[in-house]
Amino acid sequence: MLRIRNYINGRFHDPVGGEWIDNVNPATGEVASLIARSRVEDVELAVDAARSAFSAWSTMPAKGRSEIMLAIADKIKQHAEDLALAETNDQGKPLWLSKAVDISRAVDNMSFFATEILHTRTDAYQTDVHVMNYTLRQPLGVVGCISPWNLPLYLFTWKIAPALAAGNTVVAKPSELTPMTAFLLAELCIEAGLPPGVLNILHGYGPECGGAIVGHPAVKAISFTGGTSTGKTIASIAAPMFKKMSLELGGKNPTIVFDDVDVAHTARHVARAAFTNQGEICLCGSRILVQRSIYDAFRSAMIAETQRFVVGDPLEADTRMGAIVNEAHMNKVLSYIQLALEEGGTILTGGRRKHVDGRCAGGFFIEPTLVEGLSGTCRVNQEEIFGPVAALIPFDTDEEAIAIANSTEYGLAATVWTTNIQRAHGTAHRLESGIVWINTWLMRDLRTPFGGMKQSGVGREGGTEALRFFTEPKNICLQL
Ligand code: NDP
Protein backbone atom coordinates (compact mmCIF):
# COMPACT_ATOMS: atom_id res chain seq x y z
CA MET A 1 0.00 0.00 0.00
CA LEU A 2 1.20 3.52 -0.81
CA ARG A 3 2.93 5.27 2.08
CA ILE A 4 2.63 9.03 2.43
CA ARG A 5 6.09 9.93 3.74
CA ASN A 6 7.53 13.11 5.17
CA TYR A 7 9.45 15.47 2.89
CA ILE A 8 12.46 16.77 4.80
CA ASN A 9 15.59 18.40 3.42
CA GLY A 10 14.59 17.59 -0.15
CA ARG A 11 14.07 13.85 0.43
CA PHE A 12 11.33 11.50 1.57
CA HIS A 13 11.59 9.98 5.05
CA ASP A 14 9.65 7.41 7.06
CA PRO A 15 8.49 8.77 10.43
CA VAL A 16 11.15 8.33 13.12
CA GLY A 17 8.76 6.31 15.29
CA GLY A 18 7.85 3.98 12.40
CA GLU A 19 4.10 4.46 12.98
CA TRP A 20 1.49 4.91 10.24
CA ILE A 21 -2.11 6.13 10.13
CA ASP A 22 -4.82 4.76 7.81
CA ASN A 23 -5.91 7.17 5.08
CA VAL A 24 -9.57 6.46 4.28
CA ASN A 25 -11.33 7.41 1.04
CA PRO A 26 -14.59 8.94 2.34
CA ALA A 27 -16.53 8.02 -0.79
CA THR A 28 -15.86 4.30 -0.35
CA GLY A 29 -14.94 3.94 3.32
CA GLU A 30 -11.83 1.98 2.29
CA VAL A 31 -8.24 2.53 3.41
CA ALA A 32 -6.42 3.94 0.38
CA SER A 33 -2.93 4.61 1.77
CA LEU A 34 -0.89 4.95 4.95
CA ILE A 35 0.20 8.27 6.42
CA ALA A 36 3.39 8.94 8.37
CA ARG A 37 2.57 9.54 12.03
CA SER A 38 5.08 12.28 12.82
CA ARG A 39 5.96 13.42 16.30
CA VAL A 40 8.36 15.84 17.90
CA GLU A 41 11.47 13.98 16.62
CA ASP A 42 10.33 14.40 13.00
CA VAL A 43 9.59 18.08 13.64
CA GLU A 44 13.15 18.50 14.99
CA LEU A 45 14.58 17.08 11.74
CA ALA A 46 12.39 19.33 9.61
CA VAL A 47 13.19 22.48 11.61
CA ASP A 48 16.92 21.70 11.44
CA ALA A 49 16.68 21.34 7.65
CA ALA A 50 14.72 24.59 7.38
CA ARG A 51 17.23 26.46 9.53
CA SER A 52 20.13 25.28 7.40
CA ALA A 53 18.38 26.31 4.20
CA PHE A 54 17.36 29.78 5.42
CA SER A 55 20.52 31.72 4.72
CA ALA A 56 20.78 30.80 1.03
CA TRP A 57 17.04 31.04 0.33
CA SER A 58 16.51 34.37 2.09
CA THR A 59 19.44 36.02 0.33
CA MET A 60 18.59 34.66 -3.10
CA PRO A 61 17.41 37.56 -5.30
CA ALA A 62 13.61 37.75 -5.48
CA LYS A 63 13.81 36.88 -9.18
CA GLY A 64 15.51 33.56 -8.34
CA ARG A 65 12.84 32.61 -5.80
CA SER A 66 10.18 33.73 -8.22
CA GLU A 67 11.47 31.51 -11.04
CA ILE A 68 11.54 28.42 -8.85
CA MET A 69 8.03 29.10 -7.58
CA LEU A 70 6.75 29.64 -11.11
CA ALA A 71 8.31 26.31 -12.05
CA ILE A 72 6.37 24.68 -9.18
CA ALA A 73 3.17 26.37 -10.42
CA ASP A 74 3.83 24.96 -13.90
CA LYS A 75 4.36 21.48 -12.47
CA ILE A 76 1.04 21.69 -10.60
CA LYS A 77 -0.64 22.71 -13.85
CA GLN A 78 0.97 19.86 -15.78
CA HIS A 79 -0.15 17.33 -13.13
CA ALA A 80 -3.59 18.87 -12.58
CA GLU A 81 -5.48 15.69 -13.51
CA ASP A 82 -3.56 13.48 -11.06
CA LEU A 83 -3.75 16.07 -8.30
CA ALA A 84 -7.48 16.56 -8.78
CA LEU A 85 -8.09 12.83 -8.57
CA ALA A 86 -5.95 12.58 -5.43
CA GLU A 87 -7.86 15.48 -3.86
CA THR A 88 -11.21 13.91 -4.60
CA ASN A 89 -10.15 10.49 -3.29
CA ASP A 90 -8.91 12.06 -0.05
CA GLN A 91 -11.60 14.67 0.55
CA GLY A 92 -14.75 13.31 -1.12
CA LYS A 93 -15.57 16.35 -3.27
CA PRO A 94 -16.65 15.97 -6.92
CA LEU A 95 -13.75 15.51 -9.31
CA TRP A 96 -14.86 18.41 -11.53
CA LEU A 97 -14.76 20.69 -8.47
CA SER A 98 -11.25 19.58 -7.54
CA LYS A 99 -10.12 20.46 -11.07
CA ALA A 100 -12.06 23.71 -11.43
CA VAL A 101 -11.41 25.15 -7.99
CA ASP A 102 -8.85 23.39 -5.81
CA ILE A 103 -6.06 22.66 -8.24
CA SER A 104 -6.50 25.70 -10.45
CA ARG A 105 -6.48 28.00 -7.41
CA ALA A 106 -3.35 26.23 -6.10
CA VAL A 107 -1.63 27.14 -9.39
CA ASP A 108 -2.84 30.73 -8.99
CA ASN A 109 -1.56 30.91 -5.40
CA MET A 110 1.95 29.88 -6.38
CA SER A 111 2.15 32.09 -9.44
CA PHE A 112 0.56 35.11 -7.76
CA PHE A 113 3.05 35.27 -4.89
CA ALA A 114 5.94 34.33 -7.21
CA THR A 115 5.27 37.47 -9.22
CA GLU A 116 4.00 39.70 -6.40
CA ILE A 117 7.48 39.81 -4.87
CA LEU A 118 8.84 41.31 -8.08
CA HIS A 119 6.60 44.36 -7.65
CA THR A 120 6.70 45.18 -3.96
CA ARG A 121 7.49 48.66 -2.66
CA THR A 122 8.68 49.94 0.66
CA ASP A 123 8.09 53.14 2.62
CA ALA A 124 10.58 55.98 2.87
CA TYR A 125 10.18 59.22 4.85
CA GLN A 126 12.20 62.35 4.42
CA THR A 127 12.29 63.52 8.05
CA ASP A 128 14.45 66.54 7.50
CA VAL A 129 16.72 67.83 4.77
CA HIS A 130 19.50 65.67 6.14
CA VAL A 131 17.50 62.80 7.63
CA MET A 132 15.94 59.90 5.81
CA ASN A 133 13.98 56.89 7.16
CA TYR A 134 13.19 53.79 5.18
CA THR A 135 11.53 50.48 6.04
CA LEU A 136 13.32 47.26 5.30
CA ARG A 137 11.17 44.12 5.27
CA GLN A 138 13.10 40.97 6.10
CA PRO A 139 11.93 37.34 6.21
CA LEU A 140 11.32 35.88 9.66
CA GLY A 141 13.30 32.64 9.40
CA VAL A 142 11.64 29.25 9.84
CA VAL A 143 7.84 29.50 9.81
CA GLY A 144 5.09 26.93 10.41
CA CYS A 145 2.06 26.52 8.13
CA ILE A 146 -0.85 24.32 9.21
CA SER A 147 -3.84 23.79 6.93
CA PRO A 148 -7.25 22.04 7.11
CA TRP A 149 -8.95 19.25 5.15
CA ASN A 150 -11.71 21.07 3.30
CA LEU A 151 -9.68 22.70 0.49
CA PRO A 152 -6.43 20.79 0.95
CA LEU A 153 -3.94 21.85 -1.73
CA TYR A 154 -5.70 25.18 -2.25
CA LEU A 155 -5.21 26.28 1.39
CA PHE A 156 -1.82 24.57 1.77
CA THR A 157 -0.40 26.60 -1.13
CA TRP A 158 -2.23 29.73 0.05
CA LYS A 159 0.03 29.61 3.11
CA ILE A 160 3.33 28.27 1.85
CA ALA A 161 3.43 30.47 -1.28
CA PRO A 162 3.71 33.86 0.49
CA ALA A 163 5.97 32.35 3.16
CA LEU A 164 8.44 31.06 0.56
CA ALA A 165 8.13 34.10 -1.69
CA ALA A 166 9.05 36.40 1.20
CA GLY A 167 12.26 34.38 1.76
CA ASN A 168 11.30 32.21 4.73
CA THR A 169 11.87 28.51 4.99
CA VAL A 170 8.86 26.43 5.92
CA VAL A 171 7.77 23.47 8.00
CA ALA A 172 4.22 22.66 6.91
CA LYS A 173 1.56 20.18 7.88
CA PRO A 174 -1.60 19.38 5.90
CA SER A 175 -4.55 17.78 7.68
CA GLU A 176 -4.05 14.11 8.33
CA LEU A 177 -7.47 13.55 6.70
CA THR A 178 -6.26 14.90 3.34
CA PRO A 179 -2.48 14.58 3.03
CA MET A 180 -2.14 13.22 -0.52
CA THR A 181 -1.86 16.37 -2.62
CA ALA A 182 0.73 17.90 -0.27
CA PHE A 183 2.70 14.64 -0.60
CA LEU A 184 2.49 14.84 -4.41
CA LEU A 185 3.46 18.52 -4.27
CA ALA A 186 6.73 17.54 -2.56
CA GLU A 187 7.70 15.47 -5.59
CA LEU A 188 6.88 18.41 -7.87
CA CYS A 189 9.02 20.74 -5.74
CA ILE A 190 12.00 18.41 -6.19
CA GLU A 191 11.43 18.33 -9.97
CA ALA A 192 11.10 22.13 -10.07
CA GLY A 193 14.48 22.58 -8.38
CA LEU A 194 13.41 23.88 -4.98
CA PRO A 195 16.57 23.70 -2.83
CA PRO A 196 16.50 21.05 -0.07
CA GLY A 197 15.19 22.24 3.28
CA VAL A 198 13.37 25.30 1.94
CA LEU A 199 10.01 23.52 2.24
CA ASN A 200 9.51 20.58 4.59
CA ILE A 201 6.19 18.76 4.72
CA LEU A 202 5.27 16.64 7.71
CA HIS A 203 2.24 14.40 8.10
CA GLY A 204 0.45 13.23 11.20
CA TYR A 205 -2.10 14.14 13.84
CA GLY A 206 -2.77 17.77 14.70
CA PRO A 207 -1.93 17.79 18.43
CA GLU A 208 1.17 15.58 17.99
CA CYS A 209 2.77 16.88 14.84
CA GLY A 210 1.08 20.29 14.45
CA GLY A 211 1.47 20.96 18.17
CA ALA A 212 5.20 20.22 18.00
CA ILE A 213 5.60 22.67 15.10
CA VAL A 214 3.71 25.37 17.03
CA GLY A 215 5.76 24.80 20.20
CA HIS A 216 9.19 24.61 18.56
CA PRO A 217 11.24 27.62 19.74
CA ALA A 218 12.97 28.04 16.35
CA VAL A 219 9.67 28.43 14.49
CA LYS A 220 9.12 32.18 14.39
CA ALA A 221 5.56 32.40 13.11
CA ILE A 222 2.49 30.23 12.72
CA SER A 223 0.05 30.57 9.88
CA PHE A 224 -2.94 28.41 10.75
CA THR A 225 -6.29 27.72 9.12
CA GLY A 226 -8.75 25.50 10.94
CA GLY A 227 -11.36 25.41 13.66
CA THR A 228 -11.77 28.14 16.28
CA SER A 229 -11.12 25.80 19.21
CA THR A 230 -7.88 24.54 17.61
CA GLY A 231 -6.95 28.17 17.01
CA LYS A 232 -7.35 28.87 20.73
CA THR A 233 -5.09 25.93 21.60
CA ILE A 234 -2.46 27.12 19.13
CA ALA A 235 -2.64 30.68 20.42
CA SER A 236 -2.21 29.47 24.01
CA ILE A 237 1.10 27.84 23.04
CA ALA A 238 2.41 30.41 20.58
CA ALA A 239 1.39 33.67 22.30
CA PRO A 240 3.57 33.23 25.44
CA MET A 241 6.48 32.54 23.06
CA PHE A 242 5.71 35.87 21.30
CA LYS A 243 5.38 34.22 17.92
CA LYS A 244 3.65 36.00 15.10
CA MET A 245 0.31 34.34 14.39
CA SER A 246 -2.15 34.43 11.56
CA LEU A 247 -5.29 32.51 12.52
CA GLU A 248 -8.00 31.85 9.94
CA LEU A 249 -10.80 30.15 11.85
CA GLY A 250 -14.42 29.08 11.61
CA GLY A 251 -17.49 30.89 10.37
CA LYS A 252 -21.30 30.92 10.53
CA ASN A 253 -21.87 33.11 7.56
CA PRO A 254 -25.06 35.05 6.84
CA THR A 255 -26.54 35.41 3.37
CA ILE A 256 -28.97 38.36 3.29
CA VAL A 257 -31.59 38.38 0.53
CA PHE A 258 -33.54 41.63 0.15
CA ASP A 259 -36.93 41.79 -1.52
CA ASP A 260 -35.79 43.63 -4.66
CA VAL A 261 -33.88 40.66 -6.17
CA ASP A 262 -34.62 38.31 -9.04
CA VAL A 263 -35.75 35.34 -6.94
CA ALA A 264 -34.82 32.50 -9.32
CA HIS A 265 -31.36 33.85 -10.11
CA THR A 266 -30.58 34.64 -6.48
CA ALA A 267 -31.81 31.28 -5.15
CA ARG A 268 -29.48 29.50 -7.59
CA HIS A 269 -26.47 31.38 -6.26
CA VAL A 270 -27.53 31.21 -2.61
CA ALA A 271 -27.85 27.41 -2.90
CA ARG A 272 -24.40 27.28 -4.49
CA ALA A 273 -23.03 29.30 -1.56
CA ALA A 274 -24.64 26.92 0.93
CA PHE A 275 -23.84 23.52 -0.58
CA THR A 276 -20.69 23.74 -2.70
CA ASN A 277 -18.03 21.30 -1.49
CA GLN A 278 -20.71 19.60 0.68
CA GLY A 279 -21.01 22.86 2.63
CA GLU A 280 -17.45 22.27 3.85
CA ILE A 281 -16.07 25.69 3.03
CA CYS A 282 -15.47 28.19 5.80
CA LEU A 283 -17.13 30.78 3.53
CA CYS A 284 -20.36 28.87 2.89
CA GLY A 285 -23.50 30.83 3.73
CA SER A 286 -25.48 28.62 6.10
CA ARG A 287 -27.82 31.26 7.59
CA ILE A 288 -30.04 32.48 4.78
CA LEU A 289 -31.91 35.62 5.84
CA VAL A 290 -34.82 36.39 3.51
CA GLN A 291 -37.06 39.47 3.55
CA ARG A 292 -40.57 38.39 4.50
CA SER A 293 -42.38 39.83 1.46
CA ILE A 294 -40.57 37.37 -0.85
CA TYR A 295 -40.09 34.60 1.71
CA ASP A 296 -42.61 32.11 0.30
CA ALA A 297 -41.44 32.52 -3.30
CA PHE A 298 -37.80 32.34 -2.26
CA ARG A 299 -38.37 29.24 -0.13
CA SER A 300 -39.92 27.39 -3.09
CA ALA A 301 -37.04 28.39 -5.34
CA MET A 302 -34.48 27.35 -2.70
CA ILE A 303 -36.07 23.92 -2.22
CA ALA A 304 -35.87 23.35 -5.98
CA GLU A 305 -32.26 24.56 -6.16
CA THR A 306 -31.23 22.45 -3.15
CA GLN A 307 -32.69 19.36 -4.77
CA ARG A 308 -30.55 19.98 -7.84
CA PHE A 309 -27.47 19.16 -5.74
CA VAL A 310 -27.28 15.54 -6.86
CA VAL A 311 -25.38 13.50 -4.26
CA GLY A 312 -23.30 10.65 -5.61
CA ASP A 313 -19.99 9.13 -6.60
CA PRO A 314 -17.50 12.04 -6.72
CA LEU A 315 -15.95 10.59 -9.86
CA GLU A 316 -19.22 10.88 -11.83
CA ALA A 317 -19.50 14.01 -13.98
CA ASP A 318 -23.10 14.80 -12.98
CA THR A 319 -22.48 14.57 -9.22
CA ARG A 320 -22.87 17.97 -7.60
CA MET A 321 -22.22 16.88 -4.02
CA GLY A 322 -19.75 14.21 -2.97
CA ALA A 323 -18.90 12.52 0.32
CA ILE A 324 -18.48 14.13 3.74
CA VAL A 325 -14.80 14.06 4.71
CA ASN A 326 -15.05 11.19 7.22
CA GLU A 327 -17.49 9.17 9.27
CA ALA A 328 -17.01 11.21 12.46
CA HIS A 329 -17.74 14.45 10.65
CA MET A 330 -20.77 12.91 8.91
CA ASN A 331 -22.15 11.90 12.30
CA LYS A 332 -21.52 15.39 13.66
CA VAL A 333 -23.46 16.95 10.77
CA LEU A 334 -26.30 14.43 11.20
CA SER A 335 -26.45 15.28 14.91
CA TYR A 336 -27.05 18.94 13.99
CA ILE A 337 -29.92 17.91 11.71
CA GLN A 338 -31.41 16.04 14.67
CA LEU A 339 -30.83 19.11 16.85
CA ALA A 340 -32.66 21.28 14.29
CA LEU A 341 -35.74 19.10 14.78
CA GLU A 342 -35.38 19.22 18.58
CA GLU A 343 -35.11 23.01 18.42
CA GLY A 344 -38.44 23.17 16.58
CA GLY A 345 -37.22 23.39 13.00
CA THR A 346 -38.91 21.90 9.93
CA ILE A 347 -36.85 20.12 7.32
CA LEU A 348 -37.89 21.40 3.90
CA THR A 349 -35.73 18.99 1.93
CA GLY A 350 -32.98 16.47 2.69
CA GLY A 351 -32.23 15.65 6.30
CA ARG A 352 -30.84 12.13 6.04
CA ARG A 353 -27.74 10.11 5.34
CA LYS A 354 -27.66 9.17 1.68
CA HIS A 355 -26.74 5.67 0.59
CA VAL A 356 -24.99 5.53 -2.76
CA ASP A 357 -24.83 2.18 -4.55
CA GLY A 358 -21.89 0.46 -6.19
CA ARG A 359 -18.32 1.35 -5.32
CA CYS A 360 -19.56 4.05 -2.90
CA ALA A 361 -21.80 1.75 -0.80
CA GLY A 362 -19.50 2.22 2.22
CA GLY A 363 -19.14 6.00 1.79
CA PHE A 364 -20.23 8.89 3.98
CA PHE A 365 -22.91 10.94 2.20
CA ILE A 366 -25.61 13.34 3.41
CA GLU A 367 -28.49 14.86 1.46
CA PRO A 368 -28.33 18.65 1.09
CA THR A 369 -30.62 19.86 3.85
CA LEU A 370 -32.71 23.00 4.11
CA VAL A 371 -34.38 23.91 7.40
CA GLU A 372 -36.83 26.63 8.45
CA GLY A 373 -38.65 27.67 11.59
CA LEU A 374 -35.59 28.18 13.78
CA SER A 375 -34.77 31.37 15.65
CA GLY A 376 -31.55 33.19 14.86
CA THR A 377 -30.30 32.48 18.36
CA CYS A 378 -30.73 28.69 18.52
CA ARG A 379 -27.65 26.45 18.44
CA VAL A 380 -28.16 25.36 14.83
CA ASN A 381 -28.02 29.02 13.79
CA GLN A 382 -25.14 29.92 16.09
CA GLU A 383 -22.67 27.02 15.83
CA GLU A 384 -20.58 26.09 12.83
CA ILE A 385 -21.87 22.83 11.30
CA PHE A 386 -19.48 22.77 8.33
CA GLY A 387 -21.69 20.53 6.23
CA PRO A 388 -24.63 20.62 3.79
CA VAL A 389 -27.15 22.13 6.20
CA ALA A 390 -28.60 25.62 5.78
CA ALA A 391 -31.44 27.44 7.52
CA LEU A 392 -33.93 29.95 6.12
CA ILE A 393 -34.69 32.85 8.49
CA PRO A 394 -37.29 35.53 7.60
CA PHE A 395 -36.80 39.21 8.47
CA ASP A 396 -38.82 42.40 8.02
CA THR A 397 -36.46 45.38 8.09
CA ASP A 398 -32.84 46.05 7.09
CA GLU A 399 -32.12 46.79 10.74
CA GLU A 400 -33.39 43.37 11.80
CA ALA A 401 -31.39 41.59 9.07
CA ILE A 402 -28.17 43.25 10.19
CA ALA A 403 -28.86 42.42 13.84
CA ILE A 404 -29.46 38.73 13.07
CA ALA A 405 -26.43 38.60 10.77
CA ASN A 406 -24.18 40.05 13.50
CA SER A 407 -25.60 37.89 16.29
CA THR A 408 -23.05 35.06 16.25
CA GLU A 409 -19.56 34.92 17.75
CA TYR A 410 -18.16 34.55 14.23
CA GLY A 411 -17.38 37.21 11.62
CA LEU A 412 -15.77 35.63 8.58
CA ALA A 413 -17.85 36.21 5.44
CA ALA A 414 -21.27 37.60 4.54
CA THR A 415 -23.19 37.90 1.30
CA VAL A 416 -25.77 40.54 0.43
CA TRP A 417 -28.24 40.20 -2.44
CA THR A 418 -29.98 43.38 -3.57
CA THR A 419 -30.29 45.63 -6.61
CA ASN A 420 -30.32 48.75 -4.43
CA ILE A 421 -26.77 50.10 -4.36
CA GLN A 422 -27.31 52.27 -1.27
CA ARG A 423 -28.75 49.36 0.67
CA ALA A 424 -25.92 47.12 -0.52
CA HIS A 425 -23.15 49.40 0.71
CA GLY A 426 -25.03 50.51 3.83
CA THR A 427 -25.51 46.89 4.89
CA ALA A 428 -21.97 45.87 3.98
CA HIS A 429 -20.51 48.67 6.10
CA ARG A 430 -22.45 47.55 9.16
CA LEU A 431 -21.83 43.81 8.95
CA GLU A 432 -19.30 42.43 11.43
CA SER A 433 -17.50 40.40 8.81
CA GLY A 434 -14.00 40.35 7.35
CA ILE A 435 -15.34 39.70 3.85
CA VAL A 436 -18.60 40.92 2.29
CA TRP A 437 -19.74 39.82 -1.15
CA ILE A 438 -22.50 41.78 -2.86
CA ASN A 439 -24.48 39.88 -5.51
CA THR A 440 -21.77 37.23 -5.82
CA TRP A 441 -20.04 34.58 -3.73
CA LEU A 442 -16.52 33.10 -3.61
CA MET A 443 -15.27 35.66 -6.12
CA ARG A 444 -11.53 35.92 -5.56
CA ASP A 445 -8.92 38.60 -6.12
CA LEU A 446 -5.62 37.53 -4.61
CA ARG A 447 -4.64 41.12 -3.84
CA THR A 448 -7.46 41.66 -1.35
CA PRO A 449 -7.19 41.11 2.43
CA PHE A 450 -8.72 37.80 3.51
CA GLY A 451 -9.73 36.88 7.04
CA GLY A 452 -12.27 37.12 9.79
CA MET A 453 -13.38 39.28 12.71
CA LYS A 454 -14.39 38.17 16.20
CA GLN A 455 -13.89 34.39 16.73
CA SER A 456 -13.22 33.88 13.02
CA GLY A 457 -9.61 34.83 13.25
CA VAL A 458 -6.72 37.13 13.87
CA GLY A 459 -4.84 38.81 11.05
CA ARG A 460 -5.37 38.83 7.32
CA GLU A 461 -3.97 36.76 4.46
CA GLY A 462 -3.78 37.57 0.77
CA GLY A 463 -1.68 39.98 -1.30
CA THR A 464 0.50 42.40 0.59
CA GLU A 465 -1.12 41.40 3.91
CA ALA A 466 0.39 37.93 3.59
CA LEU A 467 3.80 39.25 2.59
CA ARG A 468 3.68 41.65 5.52
CA PHE A 469 2.83 38.82 7.89
CA PHE A 470 5.78 36.75 6.72
CA THR A 471 8.28 39.62 7.07
CA GLU A 472 9.53 41.77 9.92
CA PRO A 473 9.65 45.51 9.25
CA LYS A 474 12.83 47.25 10.30
CA ASN A 475 13.05 51.02 10.23
CA ILE A 476 16.43 52.42 9.25
CA CYS A 477 17.11 56.06 10.01
CA LEU A 478 19.98 57.70 8.12
CA GLN A 479 21.60 61.04 8.94
CA LEU A 480 23.09 62.25 5.68
P1 NDP B 1 -8.90 21.67 12.69
O1 NDP B 1 -8.80 22.86 13.54
O2 NDP B 1 -9.33 20.40 13.32
O3 NDP B 1 -7.52 21.33 11.99
C1 NDP B 1 -6.83 22.26 11.17
C2 NDP B 1 -5.37 21.83 11.08
O4 NDP B 1 -4.78 21.95 12.37
C3 NDP B 1 -5.17 20.38 10.67
O5 NDP B 1 -3.99 20.25 9.93
C4 NDP B 1 -5.04 19.69 12.01
O6 NDP B 1 -4.38 18.47 11.91
C5 NDP B 1 -4.23 20.71 12.77
N1 NDP B 1 -4.32 20.64 14.22
C6 NDP B 1 -5.31 20.10 14.97
N2 NDP B 1 -5.03 20.23 16.29
C7 NDP B 1 -3.83 20.88 16.37
C8 NDP B 1 -3.01 21.32 17.45
N3 NDP B 1 -3.35 21.12 18.73
N4 NDP B 1 -1.87 21.94 17.17
C9 NDP B 1 -1.50 22.18 15.89
N5 NDP B 1 -2.23 21.77 14.83
C10 NDP B 1 -3.39 21.14 15.06
O7 NDP B 1 -9.84 22.09 11.51
P2 NDP B 1 -10.39 21.17 10.36
O8 NDP B 1 -9.27 20.52 9.62
O9 NDP B 1 -11.47 20.33 10.95
O10 NDP B 1 -11.01 22.26 9.37
C11 NDP B 1 -12.29 22.75 9.51
C12 NDP B 1 -12.26 24.10 10.18
O11 NDP B 1 -11.42 24.98 9.47
C13 NDP B 1 -13.63 24.76 10.18
O12 NDP B 1 -13.86 25.34 11.44
C14 NDP B 1 -13.48 25.84 9.13
O13 NDP B 1 -14.33 26.93 9.29
C15 NDP B 1 -12.06 26.22 9.27
N6 NDP B 1 -11.59 26.87 8.07
C16 NDP B 1 -11.34 28.21 8.10
C17 NDP B 1 -10.95 28.87 6.95
C18 NDP B 1 -10.65 30.33 6.96
O14 NDP B 1 -10.03 30.79 6.02
N7 NDP B 1 -11.02 31.08 7.98
C19 NDP B 1 -10.82 28.15 5.68
C20 NDP B 1 -11.08 26.75 5.77
C21 NDP B 1 -11.46 26.15 6.93
P3 NDP B 1 -5.22 17.09 11.75
O15 NDP B 1 -6.37 17.35 10.86
O16 NDP B 1 -4.22 16.20 11.15
O17 NDP B 1 -5.65 16.72 13.12
Side-chain angles (χ1 to χ4, degrees), residues 146-150 155 173-176 204-207 210-211 214 224-227 230 233-234 248-251 282 384 386 412 450 456:
I146 300 176
S147 55
W149 50 257
N150 62 326
L155 292 179
K173 191 195 97 62
S175 169
E176 118 269 346
Y205 290 123
V214 174
F224 168 79
T225 298
T230 315
T233 306
I234 287 176
E248 298 298 335
L249 309 176
C282 54
E384 185 183 44
F386 215 55
L412 184 55
F450 177 93
S456 288

Side-chain angles (χ1 to χ4, degrees), residues 23-45:
N23 187 24
V24 175
N25 178 336
T28 63
E30 286 162 8
V31 177
S33 53
L34 296 174
I35 311 159
R37 180 171 177 175
S38 310
R39 295 175 187 266
V40 71
E41 301 79 18
D42 305 277
V43 173
E44 284 293 345
L45 293 176

Side-chain angles (χ1 to χ4, degrees), residues 194-209:
L194 187 70
V198 169
L199 172 65
N200 304 275
I201 302 174
L202 298 176
H203 302 279
Y205 290 123
E208 282 175 4
C209 173

Side-chain angles (χ1 to χ4, degrees), residues 112-113 116-117 120-121 137 140 158-159 161-163 165-166 168 221-223 244-248 434-435 445-452 458-473:
F112 174 83
F113 286 106
E116 177 79 353
I117 49 167
T120 50
R121 288 178 282 181
R137 288 205 157 260
L140 304 172
W158 177 239
K159 298 193 167 298
N168 302 280
I222 299 294
S223 175
K244 275 185 108 172
M245 270 183 289
S246 170
L247 305 175
E248 298 298 335
I435 300 152
D445 181 330
L446 290 162
R447 296 167 298 181
T448 60
F450 177 93
V458 178
R460 292 292 182 273
E461 298 186 331
T464 46
E465 298 281 344
L467 292 177
R468 279 172 179 264
F469 173 75
F470 284 115
T471 52
E472 191 78 72

